[in-house]
Amino acid sequence: MASTPQQSDGPVRPRGPRTRSRASHSLESVLAGAVEILDESGAQGLTIRALATRLGGGVASVYWYVSGRDELLDLAADSVLAGVLEATADVGGGDPIEDIRTIALTMFDAIVDRPWLGAYALRDTTSQIHSLQLYERIGEHVMRLDLTPRQTFHATSAVVGYVIGTAADLGQEPPAAVVSGEVSREEYMASAAAQWRALDAADFPFIHHILDEFDGHDDRDQFLGGLDLLLAGLRLQAQG
Amino acid sequence: MASTPQQSDGPVRPRGPRTRSRASHSLESVLAGAVEILDESGAQGLTIRALATRLGGGVASVYWYVSGRDELLDLAADSVLAGVLEATADVGGGDPIEDIRTIALTMFDAIVDRPWLGAYALRDTTSQIHSLQLYERIGEHVMRLDLTPRQTFHATSAVVGYVIGTAADLGQEPPAAVVSGEVSREEYMASAAAQWRALDAADFPFIHHILDEFDGHDDRDQFLGGLDLLLAGLRLQAQG
DNA sequence: ACCTGAACACCGTTCAAGT
DNA sequence: ACCTGAACACCGTTCAAGT
């Protein structure tokens, strides 16, 4: 999935000024480069130096477009949410709760695809315009339920909080492993299951009760299980 | 709210050499020191060097007790959950869902007290024993609802995911401010509300619909609003 | 068994200077 | 307006050496 290095091969080219000695960026190219690095090596791999190298320029030029590493992460995450926004633009045909579910699931899938997203999406709506629009979009569907403003506010925040929270949790690599490729997520989950199995059943009746469900479970099913509880509660509230 | 340092004052008293030239730690004192720093300056402030200085020793000695900074954060967070475990030991008198609500709220309050907790609590049950026990405890109450193992697994994970997700979100400082004390959380929220108010009402009908609720809202109420939706859905499932 | 000082290999960020 | 190289002030982690 890595993009080609975009190697600037010196001051080549026959005629024309095009010296190439000086790199030229834009906010879009900076964020696109950041997203590439994030996809390849996670948040830890996104250093300003690595980004500058990928862009073929010096470190300091990044700071022309972005105030620092934190803002870079926020904006890179937010830029990706444009895709979720687009993918959910048409949602709205039927049952409001069904529509909310569809949007939430699209968000979840986007974060599963890019685990680093969970920690930086929807963090600061004053700088993250797409995050704000996504919040707005979910909220508009919740409004269709004719609750009070307060209920509408709480329900929308709960859905967003649940999605981000659950997805961020899943996106977290086990203590230093996955990125370096030493341990796959499957191996890690299997070892966790084994460790649970070794626990004393008298001390951990619940863990043993759900062990077979945990072992080899599908993250998406787990996410949907909780989401549907939340939405069932919401439907109940909407019915009065 | 920080616990007392639990200062181990060396191979104490009687007489003896007491040179003080050599520091002496323990895993407990290392974690206690880490928690102090986290309470004072957040995760960003917890550097190995700052911790070593607080302990009165050299940097390298920290690595005798902990494999690295990540594990330090995980263990420090988990050590604090011992308090939540203790505080919820007696819960269990009445309605299972009411009990789940009580435990979830206690967790939430603990994270509000220590915003750094949200990002590191319940991350890795193989190294975080208290996290595992808390998960177990909530699960035991869910078991009382007589659902299928799969439903029990999903419901417990959903509650934990919602608590951690929501609390972690609230615990996030606005882009570089709060820790340094430049901008208070109140000021930040007020400015966010002002910015929302400035949005075009045609483009953001939902935001305007909930603006008065958002402005000056209480985080705890918001948390409970969503939690009660989730629990209502769970109750419905238990009755079904 | 546990602690230390010093070193290594990085970081984010700034700034005077260039174009 | 935008880019650069070099410097500053940090980091986490390791390791040979001490006790």
Side-chain angles (χ1 to χ4, degrees), chain A residues 39-75:
Chain A
D39 283 344
E40 290 167 18
S41 12
Q44 216 183 67
L46 180 61
T47 67
I48 306 291
R49 283 168 159 85
L51 177 57
T53 300
R54 174 160 312 224
L55 296 173
V59 269
S61 58
V62 172
Y63 288 88
W64 182 261
Y65 296 97
V66 130
S67 72
R69 188 175 179 272
D70 274 354
E71 190 177 283
L72 176 65
L73 254 340
D74 280 349
L75 293 181

Side-chain angles (χ1 to χ4, degrees), chain B residues 4-216:
Chain B
T4 62
Q6 197 78 6
Q7 190 114 299
S8 107
D9 29 12
V12 202
R13 288 330 114 91
R15 57 206 76 249
R18 288 291 293 199
T19 46
R20 280 266 191 192
S21 63
R22 208 168 188 250
S24 175
H25 313 316
S26 66
L27 180 58
E28 290 77 43
S29 65
V30 167
L31 297 184
V35 169
E36 282 178 29
I37 295 176
L38 287 164
D39 283 343
E40 290 166 18
S41 11
Q44 216 182 69
L46 180 61
T47 67
I48 306 292
R49 282 168 160 85
L51 177 57
T53 300
R54 173 159 314 222
L55 297 173
V59 269
S61 57
V62 172
Y63 288 88
W64 182 260
Y65 296 98
V66 131
S67 71
R69 188 175 179 271
D70 275 354
E71 190 177 282
L72 177 65
L73 255 340
D74 279 349
L75 293 181
D78 196 59
S79 76
V80 159
L81 291 189
V84 176
L85 226 34
E86 229 178 299
T88 58
D90 302 342
V91 174
D95 180 45
I97 291 199
E98 209 42 59
D99 292 340
I100 295 164
R101 198 181 113 116
T102 302
I103 298 175
L105 191 51
T106 305
M107 275 181 68
F108 178 81
D109 286 338
I111 303 180
V112 168
D113 268 7
R114 309 191 204 246
W116 53 270
L117 246 189
Y120 302 96
L122 278 147
R123 253 171 52 117
D124 175 22
T125 59
T126 67
S127 72
Q128 297 180 302
I129 185 72
H130 298 122
S131 295
L132 179 62
Q133 289 174 321
L134 206 47
Y135 185 58
E136 166 72 28
R137 177 160 299 165
I138 295 173
E140 287 176 14
H141 288 291
V142 176
M143 279 179 75
R144 294 166 59 201
L145 297 172
D146 284 321
L147 304 168
T148 68
R150 159 174 272 245
Q151 287 172 326
T152 307
F153 170 49
H154 286 171
T156 305
S157 301
V159 169
V160 169
Y162 175 75
V163 174
I164 297 283
T166 307
D169 184 55
L170 296 175
Q172 245 162 22
E173 64 258 33
V178 140
V179 171
S180 63
E182 293 167 30
V183 172
S184 76
R185 182 169 160 78
E186 285 72 30
E187 288 170 323
Y188 173 73
M189 294 303 286
S191 93
Q195 183 147 358
W196 284 14
R197 211 175 294 276
L199 293 168
D200 191 324
D203 294 333
F204 293 92
F206 163 71
I207 295 291
H208 275 84
H209 184 63
I210 58 133
L211 231 175
D212 290 337
E213 290 298 333
F214 173 77
D215 203 355

Side-chain angles (χ1 to χ4, degrees), chain A residues 158-178:
Chain A
V159 169
V160 169
Y162 175 74
V163 174
I164 297 283
T166 305
D169 184 53
L170 296 175
Q172 248 161 23
E173 65 258 33
V178 141

Side-chain angles (χ1 to χ4, degrees), chain A:
Chain A
M1 294 301 153
S3 67
T4 62
Q6 197 77 6
Q7 189 114 299
S8 108
D9 29 11
V12 206
R13 285 329 114 88
R15 61 202 74 251
R18 289 295 297 227
T19 48
R20 279 267 193 188
S21 63
R22 210 170 187 250
S24 175
H25 313 318
S26 66
L27 180 57
E28 290 77 43
S29 66
V30 167
L31 297 184
V35 169
E36 282 179 27
I37 295 176
L38 286 165
D39 283 344
E40 290 167 18
S41 12
Q44 216 183 67
L46 180 61
T47 67
I48 306 291
R49 283 168 159 85
L51 177 57
T53 300
R54 174 160 312 224
L55 296 173
V59 269
S61 58
V62 172
Y63 288 88
W64 182 261
Y65 296 97
V66 130
S67 72
R69 188 175 179 272
D70 274 354
E71 190 177 283
L72 176 65
L73 254 340
D74 280 349
L75 293 181
D78 196 59
S79 75
V80 160
L81 290 188
V84 176
L85 227 32
E86 230 178 297
T88 59
D90 303 342
V91 174
D95 179 46
I97 291 199
E98 209 43 56
D99 292 341
I100 295 165
R101 197 181 114 114
T102 301
I103 298 175
L105 191 51
T106 304
M107 275 181 68
F108 177 81
D109 286 337
I111 303 180
V112 168
D113 268 7
R114 308 190 205 246
W116 52 271
L117 246 189
Y120 302 96
L122 278 147
R123 253 171 51 118
D124 175 22
T125 58
T126 66
S127 73
Q128 297 181 302
I129 184 70
H130 298 122
S131 294
L132 179 63
Q133 288 175 320
L134 206 47
Y135 185 58
E136 166 72 27
R137 176 159 300 165
I138 295 173
E140 287 176 14
H141 288 290
V142 176
M143 279 179 74
R144 295 165 59 201
L145 298 172
D146 285 320
L147 304 169
T148 68
R150 159 174 272 246
Q151 287 172 327
T152 306
F153 170 50
H154 286 171
T156 305
S157 301
V159 169
V160 169
Y162 175 74
V163 174
I164 297 283
T166 305
D169 184 53
L170 296 175
Q172 248 161 23
E173 65 258 33
V178 141
V179 171
S180 64
E182 294 167 30
V183 172
S184 76
R185 182 170 158 77
E186 285 70 30
E187 288 170 322
Y188 172 73
M189 294 303 286
S191 93
Q195 182 146 0
W196 283 14
R197 211 176 292 278
L199 292 168
D200 191 325
D203 294 335
F204 294 92
F206 164 71
I207 295 291
H208 275 84
H209 185 63
I210 58 133
L211 232 174
D212 290 338
E213 290 299 333
F214 173 77
D215 203 356
H217 77 274
D218 181 61
D219 286 341
R220 208 162 184 265
D221 285 345
Q222 182 181 347
F223 168 76
L224 281 176
L227 180 64
D228 284 338
L229 289 179
L230 186 60
L231 294 180
L234 182 57
R235 173 160 272 142
L236 205 61
Q237 187 174 63
Q239 286 163 349

